[in-house]
Amino acid sequence: MGEHLNVRISSTGMALPGKRLTNMTLEKMVDTSDDWIVSRTGIKERRILDEQWSASDLAVVSAREALDNADLKPHEIDLIIVATATPDHLVPATACIVQSKLNAFGCPAFDINAGCSGFVYGLVIGQQFIENCTYKNILVIGVDILSRITNWEDRSTCVLFGDGAGAVVLQPSNDAKGVLSVSLMADGEGAEHLMVPAGGSYMPANENTVKNKLHFVKMNGNEVFKFAVNIVVETINILLNKSGLSIDQLHLLFLHQANHRIIEAARKKLNISPHKLPVNIERFGNMSAASIPVLLHENVREGHIERGDLIAMVAFGAGLTCGGVLLEW
Ligand code: UT7
């Protein structure tokens, strides 16, 4: 048997654009109302990144905070994983641009695209490298600038999204048990329910794709909603079963912030009290891969998580995908 290390999240960081877009402003842009948005989604405002900045810029700010909080210098990073569906470019990976801006020369760096589940997928990938003693200091960043791929004339999507970035440092753990169980899944049958149709090799950009707005997110919200509620509950049960824990033992459960009604529906099925489910969707909307790390960072910063607490994170999104991690903080 080879050596096997426990893996913990040793620090967190986040970055949010300063510019707020309120429901009131959206009322002037599309046929919608503050009342509809709040009652159907729970969102009151979201952040929008100014056009001179890109995903890598926001990612770097969140990464610097996580590195500072872990007392780590950029040259000590062994691996950079960036989860994003809105990379700076199709090629090269945003992780390489982040590496360059951080001056973390030489370490491997790559992107993963698992939609809103990307950060949790990234955590699980990073965990493998530490567990098998390949790397010690891993930066996992979830960043999305969905405002850049949003059709601002489509009221069924443009009210939902916000921009943001969140980062964590993963390290071997000497005391806390760290990651206890993980669960990843994908259902590619549902790929069509949430996609950006053009701009890839299937439908390269041309005049028509631009004219027909095929470079923007297209979503079948109802289908994603149904998938989300079921898969969240299933994933949490898998995580608990694998680690031999019961739901009452969880201190906090961080769910992807896509819609307050999804969180509520899952909460009722799981039969747990609302105070165990932190929510920030009213302030930031759906930040895709950034949603969970930003929520986690806020709760760490506010002192809601202490050493030894059991927490779980579950995200779902394009793919369709779902990912969950249960860990001892
Ligand atoms: O991050 C992971 C990916 N995304 C998600 O998890 C999103 C999951 N889905 C959802 O959150 C919800 O399905 C939505 C918030 C997207 C939509 O809520 P819904 O309750 O499923 O509404 P709906 O699509 O069934 O639409 C209900 C009505 C429709 O009008 P009719 O056909 O009943 O007359 C829509 O046209 O609401 C209308 N509508 C709006 N009305 C005002 C849709 N968007 C808006 C809007 N303002 N912004």
Side-chain angles (χ1 to χ4, degrees):
M1 281 279 286
E3 208 183 337
H4 175 106
L5 296 178
N6 292 335
V7 185
R8 64 184 287 251
I9 294 177
S10 27
S11 71
T12 62
M14 73 175 192
L16 294 162
K19 192 196 282 175
R20 293 176 155 83
L21 174 60
T22 63
N23 291 351
M24 244 89 86
T25 306
L26 278 164
E27 282 177 351
K28 294 178 198 136
M29 296 164 59
V30 286
D31 180 15
T32 190
S33 65
D34 176 50
D35 192 45
W36 192 94
I37 302 172
V38 172
S39 63
R40 304 311 288 168
T41 73
I43 302 165
K44 291 181 180 156
E45 59 177 41
R46 64 293 283 146
R47 301 297 179 91
I48 305 293
L49 190 63
D50 273 341
E51 63 184 20
Q52 70 266 34
W53 306 108
S54 65
S56 64
D57 295 308
L58 217 51
V60 162
V61 176
S62 71
R64 288 213 177 97
E65 185 175 16
L67 291 173
D68 281 350
N69 288 338
D71 249 330
L72 211 61
K73 299 276 171 282
H75 72 266
E76 295 174 294
I77 304 169
D78 297 316
L79 169 66
I80 300 173
I81 301 174
V82 172
T84 186
T86 51
D88 280 16
H89 313 279
L90 280 181
V91 179
T94 299
C96 296
I97 298 168
V98 168
Q99 185 220 47
S100 157
K101 288 181 177 173
L102 283 175
N103 288 318
F105 177 76
C107 74
F110 59 85
D111 288 2
I112 53 169
N113 178 348
C116 306
S117 313
F119 174 76
V120 177
Y121 265 62
L123 273 189
V124 176
I125 295 168
Q127 177 220 355
Q128 309 305 309
F129 284 110
I130 293 176
E131 213 171 67
N132 67 23
C133 310
T134 307
Y135 300 125
K136 273 191 182 149
N137 304 317
I138 300 183
L139 190 57
V140 182
I141 305 170
V143 57
D144 266 309
I145 315 299
L146 288 182
S147 64
R148 303 281 162 85
I149 57 166
T150 295
N151 177 356
W152 291 102
E153 292 168 4
D154 175 9
R155 70 172 183 178
S156 73
T157 54
C158 77
V159 302
L160 304 173
F161 305 133
D163 302 333
V168 300
V169 170
L170 295 182
Q171 289 179 321
S173 169
N174 305 318
D175 43 6
K177 293 198 194 87
V179 175
L180 298 174
S181 58
V182 304
S183 168
L184 299 179
M185 69 77 68
D187 176 7
E189 299 278 312
E192 63 184 3
H193 296 315
L194 181 43
M195 64 157 52
V196 177
S201 61
Y202 179 75
M203 206 189 287
N206 62 37
E207 273 173 45
N208 280 330
T209 61
V210 173
K211 200 174 71 200
N212 295 322
K213 299 189 184 296
L214 297 177
H215 299 275
F216 296 126
V217 174
K218 278 208 156 54
M219 181 168 72
N220 185 344
N222 290 312
E223 289 297 326
V224 181
F225 194 108
K226 280 185 276 180
F227 166 78
V229 175
N230 292 327
I231 203 69
V232 163
V233 173
E234 198 180 311
T235 299
I236 289 163
N237 286 328
I238 291 171
L239 293 174
L240 292 170
N241 276 336
K242 278 189 179 179
S243 53
L245 294 164
S246 72
I247 192 129
D248 310 323
Q249 291 173 278
L250 284 185
H251 175 64
L252 290 174
L253 173 52
F254 298 94
L255 293 190
H256 172 48
Q257 306 283 297
N259 186 322
H260 195 263
R261 286 187 297 136
I262 295 177
I263 299 170
E264 253 318 276
R267 186 189 72 74
K268 285 189 179 137
K269 285 191 182 214
L270 291 163
N271 196 19
I272 49 175
S273 92
H275 76 263
K276 288 202 170 186
L277 290 171
V279 170
N280 64 10
I281 190 172
E282 72 282 1
R283 288 174 287 138
F284 305 133
N286 178 350
M287 295 188 289
S288 188
S291 158
I292 296 237
V294 167
L295 188 64
L296 182 68
H297 175 76
E298 287 193 317
N299 279 271
V300 170
R301 192 181 56 191
E302 284 154 28
H304 298 321
I305 310 177
E306 284 178 12
R307 252 344 194 7
D309 285 341
L310 294 170
I311 65 163
M313 301 169 232
V314 180
F316 52 85
L320 299 170
T321 55
C322 184
V325 169
L326 195 163
L327 57 84
E328 183 186 291
W329 192 256

